[in-house]
Amino acid sequence: MNTRATNASRPTGFSGETVRALASTLLLLGLIGDRRVR
């Protein structure tokens, strides 16, 4: 409920959060891949 209100009022903040989440997920996947390779 609160997320929708914040998204409607701050689209830029929402996009920034999504980019941050994607970056974090990519980093985690990369670390997992390195561990698997090793």
Side-chain angles (χ1 to χ4, degrees):
M1 306 277 283
N2 292 339
T3 50
R4 282 187 186 177
T6 47
N7 290 348
S9 63
R10 283 198 230 167
T12 53
F14 176 69
S15 65
E17 283 183 4
T18 48
V19 170
R20 231 190 230 178
L22 287 168
S24 61
T25 46
L26 285 170
L27 286 169
L28 286 169
L29 286 169
L31 288 170
I32 291 164
D34 289 340
R35 283 187 182 180
R36 279 187 185 177
V37 170
R38 287 181 183 176

